[in-house]
């Protein structure tokens, strides 16, 4: 089956080696601008650390001169010099600890703060973006945007201050080298740029491999997610082998991609390790030559070789940053896609005037999810204030779409949807949420208590209202049986409810807000007939000032309605009372009387069978 | 084993035990290990070569002792050492190459095996886990092991080796100074070990909070329309923000511990260097160590410190990796409680299947303990080729009945037999091809309509597919879709309406051509006319097989040969629809009365 991860995410700009460093640098710059103080702390710590590393080499050179050489060649060693040497070394160690605290806490806190900041921004965006946008994006993709992509984007932030400090350290080191001897400085000027260039070359070559591995990683996750989502179907059809093969194929590709990443790293890491050592050897060679010429002393040779040794490790920090930049850029691109997503559905500023039941009207509404397949065409109907209208139509005719539009979760392409004559697009978010409640076909339960799920912390909804709503939705009995009643945790981490129970909780959620327009999208499909009958009865009893649009198949539900809107293939075929439609609209009659007709037919068949059986018996008897 | 065992974080298994368990599960990891280790050993020698070269160069070339500088000696020492470096670099390359190839291959295998294993777990196990949790078993957990083996593995191998080689070389120059270095580090090791414990607690808290955060993010994505409809995005946003901030706090705490532990090593290194200078100078005065050796020692101390520092970092990472590995192993070690008897099993007898339930009871586990019974000593026989409808109120146990019949679960007591064969003895290959259930939520894969139906039978041609829809009377509907059979259904089928998804799921079950078809409210969201039509066509196409339909629309019951009425986990009535109606006060009569009330 087709891999789907990316969904219709934007065509990703190909990450080439050439521009990835520049783009990565821009991402890092953004991070620095967002967290200037933490970054500064980290860089200062890192520079302090670097300065002390170089200082240590100088001190070692001095120790060689003052202590070791005299000691090993029979010279004088003073206790004072020894004490001083040891004190300085320990003091420098403590200084390095301070540097490390500054660098690592600064960098770590900066990284965490950036992750948190962009998680906040991405998820805030999710909550702002309209339903139509969500419908176009796979859940898995959105989850990884807020999680692993944000993480990847700020991954290089952790070693970044270290790398900056290392650059500073290299500059100082070259300065120190020059102060010692120009020839040794030249060694540094050769070795350090070579290290730097190798790092750059490596990360450029690594970029496409990393990107591919990252992409495959997402695909593997998507397959696993979908497959586990459909685990019941896989199981009942016995397709575990098929699914495993599908997963294994992609996991194999991921393995190959990761091996190719590993081979490059296998080449790079040993090289990066050996190069500074070669620098040390070169320094020794050049140092000996300069010593031979009498330009420098023994302690300076030791100092410089020591410098190359201690620089070997920090230089790799530059490689870490550069190596992670491609992933960072890829992650950032996806984060940015979310942050820059448009398709906003701005709310208006108007309040819905008046109170009590509101009139809903659709005027010449066209709608399509996919331009190739119009879902609604020229839909016009009105639900007068305080009345109940049943929306009836065959499977796939567009009923749920109408319900969704009526709650302004989507906007029509053409035409207008109005509440009490006010275009829904002009209404403020608060007034819309206050006035309209939609109970969807598939119930959604929050990871929250029963009370939280029903009240949603909306003002004015106290426990009495919650109880009342639960009673109307026929959910009071089973809620009363839950261990902690209203405080029972529901959702993923709480008690799981049956489909019918979930529907009743969501129905109660809608009722608790006392909406002026209630939209029920086949909201009792998983509730059994007797319970549903009770729900409908209590709705009728309590719906004193509510307009109701109900998507229905059952006669009892339709009987509740003052009027019926019958649709087929996205068009309103007829509007009128049930009786009139039953008499005049063939499709409608077929739909609502399907069960009766089926029963009559069976009855006829049975009578016929009995009759023919009787005939046969007679024949046999005769 | 209880279902919740998978999530337990509190296992007190040691990292070493996890490691051994992991290796025994992936013996591929040991492939060519000797060669890799050999290469690593050679690669390590390169690290000690430079300090030795410095000592040799200083003592013999710079002429500290002799007072005569010999460029020839220096050049020779540098040349030989450079050669050694080249060789060790090449060995390093091959070592890493082998390591990457072996570890990636082994982990790809474990990824696939874990994936398969999760599918093999029973439905109850699967449902007791959050979906995201199962996905992370085969993604991030495997990744963390890879990282550990490659990062940690390389570093532990190379740096561990470096530590050993450095110590040996140091001891060669001066065993007394070596003891001084070790003495300086010993307290640090103890302190760092103490920090590790706190750190692993901090990481566990990290993981817990990231789980909560991901749950909150997922809720805001999945529930986007509800959140919008009720205008409660601020409420959801605030909850979500709190989880993000909580996670950040946990991250910071772990970082503080980690940095503190790291700095202990740094202090130790300063102590070591200072002690070496102090003690070394005394030895130098005593003439026990040369200038070159002393200098080399200063280099070696640095080389000794680095791996210790790096190892501290790796151990931090390792905490995470070991936890990931443990979680993965816990899943793999979980015995599927509804297991395929495989070769010990038998195939179902040919021909139509009859059903018998022998004193079957069932209770769902609650926190690992059996909960209240949902089915109570059900004793029931259904003849082959009959069409049965199971009805009852919500929560009466009808869906449980269907799940036991298809062996998605095993009864707590009693047994289920098909044509005389106990279900537990039937090979899954036979069971799943002969018995198919259509669950209520017709889950579809993100593919086309055709591909979804082919899920049941991959070899179906387009013509056969079309024939299947024709048989079911659904051809018109399919042709009305934007791209017919090739219409993509979207993630979880969400591009289709709920009722349409059920139609595809039904077609999928139909082409599977089972001998026992179990429908669990499979047409609950389909309009009545289509349902009745489907009912009729299903009757035609299912003639000759046994059909069990769980239904709350009683139209299904009317059409069935027999109705089984379940109430509070007990079968209280059975018989043809008309017959059951003759008992006016029965549960069925009441159900039917309210059904009539609703549909007339």
């Amino acid at each position: 089956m087709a891999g789907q991860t990316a969904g219709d995410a934007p065509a990703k700009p190909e990450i080439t080696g050439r521009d990835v460093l520049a783009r990565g640098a821009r991402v890092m710059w953004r991070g620095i601008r967002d967290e200037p103080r933490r970054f500064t702390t980290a860089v200062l710590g890192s520079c302090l650390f670097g300065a002390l590393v170089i200082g240590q080499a100088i001190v070692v050179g001095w120790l060689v001169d003052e202590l070791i050489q005299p000691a090993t060649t029979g010279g004088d060693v003073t206790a004072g010099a020894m004490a001083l040497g040891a004190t300085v070394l320990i003091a420098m160690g403590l200084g390095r600890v301070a540097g490390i605290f500054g660098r690592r806490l600064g960098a770590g806190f900066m990284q965490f703060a950036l992750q948190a900041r962009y998680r906040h921004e991405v998820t805030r965006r999710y909550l702002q973006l309209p339903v139509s946008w969500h419908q176009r994006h796979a859940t898995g993709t959105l989850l990884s945007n807020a999680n692993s992509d944000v993480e990847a984007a700020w991954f290089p932030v952790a070693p970044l201050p270290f790398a900056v400090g290392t650059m500073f350290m290299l500059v100082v080191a070259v300065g120190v080298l020059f102060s010692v001897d120009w020839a040794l400085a030249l060694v540094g000027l050769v070795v350090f740029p070579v290290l730097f260039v190798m790092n750059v070359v490596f990360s450029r070559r690594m970029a496409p491999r990393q990107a591919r591995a990252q992409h495959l990683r997402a695909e593997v996750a998507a397959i696993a997610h979908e497959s586990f989502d459909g685990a019941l179907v896989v199981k009942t059809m016995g397709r575990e082998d098929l699914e495993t093969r599908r997963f294994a194929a992609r996991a194999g590709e991921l393995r190959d991609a990761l091996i190719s990443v590993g081979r490059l790293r296998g080449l790079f890491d040993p090289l990066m390790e050996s190069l500074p050592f070669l620098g040390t050897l070169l320094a020794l060679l050049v140092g000996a030559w300069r010593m031979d010429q009498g330009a420098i002393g023994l302690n300076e040779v030791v100092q410089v070789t020591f410098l190359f040794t201690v620089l070997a490790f920090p230089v790799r920090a530059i490689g870490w940053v550069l190596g992670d930049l491609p992933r960072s850029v890829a992650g950032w691109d996806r984060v940015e896609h979310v942050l820059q997503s448009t398709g906003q559905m701005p709310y208006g500023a108007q309040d819905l005037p008046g109170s009590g039941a509101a009139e809903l009207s659709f005027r010449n509404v066209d709608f399509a999810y996919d331009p190739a397949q119009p879902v609604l065409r020229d839909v016009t109907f009105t639900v007068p204030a305080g009345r109940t209208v049943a929306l009836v139509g065959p499977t796939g005719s567009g009923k749920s779409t109408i319900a969704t539009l009526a709650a302004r979760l989507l906007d029509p392409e053409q035409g207008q949807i109005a509440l009490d004559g006010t275009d829904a697009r002009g209404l403020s978010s608060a007034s819309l949420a206050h006035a309209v409640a939609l109970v969807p076909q598939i119930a959604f339960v929050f990871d929250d208590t029963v009370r939280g799920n029903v009240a949603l912390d909306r003002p004015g909804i106290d426990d009495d209202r919650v109880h009342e709503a639960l009673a109307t939705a026929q959910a009071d009995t089973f809620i009363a049986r839950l261990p902690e009643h209203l405080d029972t945790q529901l959702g993923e981490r709480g008690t799981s409810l049956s489909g019918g129970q979930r529907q009743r909780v969501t129905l109660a959620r809608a009722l608790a807000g006392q909406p002026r327009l209630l939209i029920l999208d086949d909201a009792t499909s998983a509730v059994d007939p007797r319970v549903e009958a009770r729900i409908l009865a209590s709705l009728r009893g309590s719906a004193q000032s509510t307009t109701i649009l109900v998507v229905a198949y059952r006669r009892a539900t339709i009987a509740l309605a003052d009027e019926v809107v019958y649709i087929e293939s996205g068009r309103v075929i007829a509007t009128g009372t049930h009786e009139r439609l039953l008499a005049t609209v063939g499709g409608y009659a077929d739909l609502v009387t399907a069960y009766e007709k089926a029963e009559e037919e069976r009855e006829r068949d049975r009578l016929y069978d009995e009759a023919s059986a009787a005939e046969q018996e007679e024949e046999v008897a005769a | 084993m209880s279902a919740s065992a998978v999530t337990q974080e509190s296992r007190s298994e040691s990292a070493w035990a996890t490691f051994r368990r992991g290796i025994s599960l992936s013996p591929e990891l040991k492939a060519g290990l000797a060669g890799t280790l050999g290469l690593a050993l050679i690669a390590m020698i390169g690290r000690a070569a430079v300090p030795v070269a410095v000592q040799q160069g200083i003592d013999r070339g710079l002429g500290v002792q002799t007072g005569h500088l010999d460029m020839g000696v220096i050049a020779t020492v540098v040349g030989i050492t450079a050669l050694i470096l080249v060789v060790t670099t090449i060995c390093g390359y091959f070592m890493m190459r082998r390591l990457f190839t072996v570890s990636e291959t082994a982990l790809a295998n474990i990824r696939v095996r874990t994936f398969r294993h999760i599918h093999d777990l029973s439905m109850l196990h699967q449902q007791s886990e959050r979906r995201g949790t199962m996905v992370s078993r085969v993604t991030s957990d495997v990744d963390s092991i890879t990282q550990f083996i490659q990062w940690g593995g390389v570093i532990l191998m190379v740096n561990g080796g470096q530590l050993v080689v450095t110590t040996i070389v140091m001891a060669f120059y001066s065993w007394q100074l070596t003891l001084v270095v070790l003495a300086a580090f010993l307290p640090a090791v103890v302190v760092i070990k103490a920090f590790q414990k706190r750190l692993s607690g901090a990481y566990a808290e990290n993981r817990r909070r990231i789980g909560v955060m991901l749950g909150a993010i997922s809720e805001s994505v999945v529930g986007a329309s509800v959140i919008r409809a009720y205008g409660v995005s601020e409420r959801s946003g605030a909850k979500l923000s709190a989880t993000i901030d909580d996670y950040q706090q946990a991250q910071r705490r772990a970082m503080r511990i980690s940095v503190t532990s790291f700095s202990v090593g740094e202090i130790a290194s300063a102590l070591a260097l200072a002690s070496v200078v102090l003690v070394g100078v005394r030895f130098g005065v005593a003439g026990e160590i040369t200038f070159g050796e002393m200098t080399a020692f200063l280099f070696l101390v640095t080389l000794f410190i680095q791996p210790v520092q790096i190892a501290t970092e790796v151990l931090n990472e390792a905490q995470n990796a070991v936890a990931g590995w443990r979680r993965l192993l816990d899943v793999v070690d979980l015995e599927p409680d509804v297991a395929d008897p495989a070769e010990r099993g038998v195939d179902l007898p040919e021909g139509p299947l009859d059903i018998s339930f022998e004193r079957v009871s069932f209770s769902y586990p609650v926190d690992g303990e059996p909960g209240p019974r949902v089915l109570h000593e059900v004793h029931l026989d259904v003849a082959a080729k009959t069409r049965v409808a199971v009805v009852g109120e919500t929560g009466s146990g009808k869906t449980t009945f269907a799940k036991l019949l298809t062996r998605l679960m095993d009864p707590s007591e009693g047994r289920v037999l098909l044509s005389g064969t106990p279900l537990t003895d039937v090979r899954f290959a036979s069971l799943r091809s002969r018995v198919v259930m259509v669950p209520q939520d017709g889950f579809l894969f993100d593919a086309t309509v055709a591909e979804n139906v082919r899920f049941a039978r991959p070899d179906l041609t387009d013509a056969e597919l079309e024939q299947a829809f024709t048989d079911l009377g659904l051809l018109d509907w399919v042709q009305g879709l934007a791209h017919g059979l090739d219409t993509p259904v979207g993630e979880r089928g969400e591009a289709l309406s709920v009722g349409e998804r059920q139609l595809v799921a039904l077609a999928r079950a139909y082409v599977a051509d089972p001998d026992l078809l179990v429908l669990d409210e499979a047409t609950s969201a389909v309009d009545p006319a289509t349902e009745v039509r489907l009912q009729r066509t299903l009757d035609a196409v299912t003639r000759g097989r046994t059909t069990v339909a769980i239904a709350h629309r009683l139209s299904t019951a009317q059409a069935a040969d027999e109705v089984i009425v379940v109430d509070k986990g007990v079968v209280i009535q059975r018989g043809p629809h008309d017959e059951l109606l003759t008992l006016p006060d029965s549960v069925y009569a009441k159900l039917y009365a309210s059904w009539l009330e609703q549909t007339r």
Side-chain angles (χ1 to χ4, degrees), chain B residues 154-236:
Chain B
V154 171
I155 287 172
L156 286 184
M157 246 197 265
V158 173
N159 290 282
Q162 180 173 332
L163 209 61
V164 173
V165 172
T166 317
T167 313
I168 292 170
V169 176
M170 284 200 300
F172 178 77
Y173 287 137
S174 162
W175 62 267
Q176 298 96 329
L177 281 184
T178 310
L179 285 181
V180 169
V181 172
L182 292 179
F185 273 97
L186 201 64
V189 170
V190 176
V191 175
I192 288 173
K193 214 172 147 61
F195 273 115
Q196 289 297 327
K197 212 167 217 165
R198 291 185 54 196
L199 201 54
S200 86
Y203 279 131
E205 182 62 15
N206 262 8
R207 280 193 299 277
R208 197 187 66 73
R209 293 198 188 175
I210 203 170
V212 174
M213 180 185 79
L214 288 179
I217 295 176
S218 139
E219 186 171 276
S220 76
V221 171
V222 180
S225 66
V226 176
I227 292 168
R228 200 173 177 89
Y230 285 94
V232 289
S233 55
E234 268 177 37
R235 176 182 191 265
S236 295

Side-chain angles (χ1 to χ4, degrees), chain B residues 6 12 33 40 69 76 89 100 120 133 179-180 188 190 192-193 341 349 366 404 409 432 446 472 490-491 507 523 537:
Chain B
V6 188
S12 52
L33 192 63
L69 196 145
T76 313
T89 306
F100 276 108
D120 284 341
T133 320
L179 285 181
V180 169
V190 176
I192 288 173
K193 214 172 147 61
V366 176
L404 292 174
M409 308 185 301
R432 301 294 179 216
D446 188 6
L472 292 170
E491 199 189 1
T523 51
T537 49

Side-chain angles (χ1 to χ4, degrees), chain B residues 265-327:
Chain B
E266 200 65 32
I267 291 172
S269 93
L271 269 178
L273 207 58
S275 325
V276 164
V277 170
L278 288 181
V279 182
V281 167
R282 295 229 168 275
F283 285 130
V285 174
E288 282 176 29
I289 192 164
T290 67
F291 176 66
E293 284 169 350
M294 184 62 207
T295 311
F297 217 95
L298 293 181
F299 280 65
L300 286 164
V301 171
T302 318
L303 285 180
F304 183 87
I305 291 162
Q306 272 178 15
V308 171
Q309 286 291 52
I310 295 171
T312 320
E313 291 293 277
V314 172
L315 283 175
N316 292 348
E317 292 293 317
Q319 299 287 345
N320 264 332
V322 166
W325 211 344
R326 193 174 295 151
R327 286 195 297 274

Side-chain angles (χ1 to χ4, degrees), chain B residues 432-446:
Chain B
R432 301 294 179 216
S433 66
R434 306 277 305 279
V435 179
V436 165
M437 174 166 111
V438 186
Q440 188 171 13
D441 67 336
F443 180 89
L444 300 186
F445 292 89
D446 188 6

Side-chain angles (χ1 to χ4, degrees), chain A residues 1 4 38 56 64 68 71-72 77 82 93 96-97 100-101 104 108-109 112-113 115-116 119-120 123 127-128 138-139 147 217 225-233 235 237-241 243-244 247 254-255 258-259 262-263 266-267 269 273-274 277 298 302 305-306 309 313 345 347 373 394-396 433 441 444 446-448 452 456-458 492-493 509-510 525 528-530 532 553-556 591 594-596 599 601-602, chain B residues 47 62 64 82 85 89 93 96-97 100 104 111 115-116 118-119 121 123 126 130-131 134-135 143 213-214 218-219 223 225-226 228 230-231 233 235 237 239-241 245 247-248 251-252 255-256 258 262-263 266-267 269-270 273 278 281 284-285 289 291 294-295 299 302 310 313 393-394 408 432 443 445-447 455-456 458 482 491-492 498-500 508 525-529 531 536 552-553 555 558-559 592 594-595 598-600:
Chain A
M1 235 152 276
Q4 47 81 241
R38 291 195 169 113
Q56 194 178 347
V64 165
I68 300 173
T72 48
V77 181
M82 279 175 66
R96 282 205 307 278
V97 165
I100 287 171
F101 264 93
R104 295 203 40 197
F109 283 22
F112 305 149
Q115 287 176 0
R119 282 190 175 121
H120 283 307
T123 52
L127 291 169
Q128 283 165 357
T139 312
N147 183 34
R217 201 172 260 139
H225 197 278
E226 187 186 38
S227 192
F228 295 156
D229 228 5
L232 194 59
V233 173
K235 202 178 266 303
M237 296 257 164
R239 308 317 291 187
E240 290 92 344
D241 285 341
E243 284 297 281
T244 308
F247 182 77
L254 174 60
R255 174 199 59 214
L258 289 172
I259 288 178
R263 288 193 170 173
L267 183 66
D269 279 8
E273 218 153 86
S274 305
F277 284 137
L298 177 60
V302 173
T305 45
F306 194 81
T309 311
F313 181 70
M345 222 173 70
Y347 290 104
Q373 203 181 5
T395 305
Q441 205 170 7
F444 179 82
F446 289 95
D447 198 353
D448 201 338
L456 292 177
D457 293 340
R458 285 172 290 175
E492 238 193 341
R493 272 170 290 158
R509 180 190 296 154
S525 59
D528 59 71
R530 277 202 281 183
E532 193 193 22
Y553 295 128
R554 297 182 187 171
R555 288 282 282 275
L591 194 72
Y595 295 134
E596 287 161 70
E599 199 187 345
E601 230 163 83
R602 254 191 309 276
Chain B
R47 306 215 178 184
L62 295 184
V64 179
L85 275 180
T89 306
Y93 167 64
M96 302 256 309
R97 227 184 116 119
F100 276 108
E104 291 297 352
R111 209 192 281 275
F115 175 88
R116 174 57 197 248
I118 289 176
H119 271 303
L121 289 176
M123 194 196 75
Q126 289 171 349
R130 281 188 254 165
R131 203 125 301 153
M134 296 197 295
V135 174
D143 291 339
M213 180 185 79
L214 288 179
S218 139
E219 186 171 276
S225 66
V226 176
R228 200 173 177 89
Y230 285 94
S233 55
R235 176 182 191 265
K239 279 179 133 184
L240 187 50
S241 284
D245 292 336
Y247 176 49
Q248 191 188 356
Q251 281 179 307
R252 287 187 185 175
M255 181 56 115
R256 271 194 289 266
S258 159
F262 188 84
S263 58
E266 200 65 32
I267 291 172
S269 93
L273 207 58
L278 288 181
V281 167
V285 174
I289 192 164
F291 176 66
M294 184 62 207
T295 311
F299 280 65
T302 318
I310 295 171
E313 291 293 277
E393 284 206 31
T394 310
L408 288 174
R432 301 294 179 216
F443 180 89
F445 292 89
D446 188 6
F455 185 74
E491 199 189 1
R492 275 188 292 266
V498 181
E500 289 174 316
R508 179 167 59 192
V526 173
D527 71 73
E531 195 191 17
R536 211 168 290 144
H552 64 239
R553 290 192 182 178
S555 55
Q558 284 171 287
Y592 189 69
S594 69
W595 165 250
Q598 278 187 297
T599 50
R600 295 297 139 88

